[in-house]
Amino acid sequence: MRDDSDVTRFERADAGSPPGSDLLEAMIVDLTPLYGRIDVPEAPSAEPSDFAPPAGAFVVGFENGTPICCGGIKRLPDGTCEIKRMFVVPEERGRGVAKQLLAALEAEARELGYTIARLDTGPHQPHAERLYREAGYAPIGNFNANPFASFWGEKRL
């Protein structure tokens, strides 16, 4: 059994190819009972091209060679970035992987030159909102018209 001292290795990846695409589909399936399909036209764009260089990035976290989490960075029209599609496979939850993933995504955003990151989460994910607040994301207004979100946050990187 693993514990919180295990370290996940993060690598940039293509969100449109495995393992990134597999993790993204698993995330959508995981959230469907809570919100319905989130990959609908009414939701903010989160296509693989949104997470592509030079303005974006997609990260996959590996544990002993197995992909266990992912997340993306997308450029917003005002020059800030949005952290999107954070996902940890269910069997790895509860041991700090999401916190590591958020830190890795913030590091990638800084490397891309971003000084402000934004994100959101929905009402059925209070653990995610708690993580974001504890990481320093202050509540802001609805910056992306996400119909599934109830918390929007911003942090200076």
Side-chain angles (χ1 to χ4, degrees):
M1 180 168 184
R2 295 185 205 139
D3 62 29
D4 290 342
S5 65
D6 289 324
V7 177
T8 303
R9 178 178 48 88
F10 296 97
E11 295 180 7
R12 281 198 184 180
D14 177 0
S17 300
S21 59
D22 294 337
L23 287 164
L24 287 173
E25 182 57 30
M27 182 210 63
I28 291 167
V29 169
D30 190 60
L31 292 177
T32 297
L34 301 176
Y35 303 105
R37 292 287 296 199
I38 62 168
D39 56 341
V40 295
E42 301 79 36
S45 178
E47 297 298 319
S49 60
D50 292 323
F51 306 127
F58 190 76
V59 172
V60 172
F62 295 86
E63 196 83 46
N64 298 321
T66 301
I68 63 165
C69 63
C70 68
I73 299 162
K74 166 186 167 178
R75 182 176 181 81
L76 294 173
D78 66 1
T80 62
C81 73
E82 181 177 6
I83 293 174
K84 296 198 67 66
R85 297 301 196 243
M86 277 189 58
F87 175 69
V88 177
V89 297
E91 58 272 18
E92 299 295 337
R93 294 177 186 162
R95 59 179 202 87
V97 173
K99 186 175 182 179
Q100 292 177 51
L101 174 59
L102 181 58
L105 288 165
E106 290 173 347
E108 289 288 336
R110 282 186 205 93
E111 191 173 307
L112 290 170
Y114 294 110
T115 58
I116 294 175
R118 294 184 182 143
L119 45 67
D120 66 38
T121 193
H124 302 295
Q125 297 167 282
H127 52 283
E129 181 177 342
R130 187 170 43 257
L131 169 71
Y132 300 151
R133 286 178 183 267
E134 289 173 0
Y137 285 83
I140 60 170
N142 180 349
F143 69 90
N144 63 0
N146 185 346
F148 303 106
S150 59
F151 172 82
W152 295 266
E154 179 177 284
K155 178 179 179 179
R156 183 163 292 284
L157 299 174

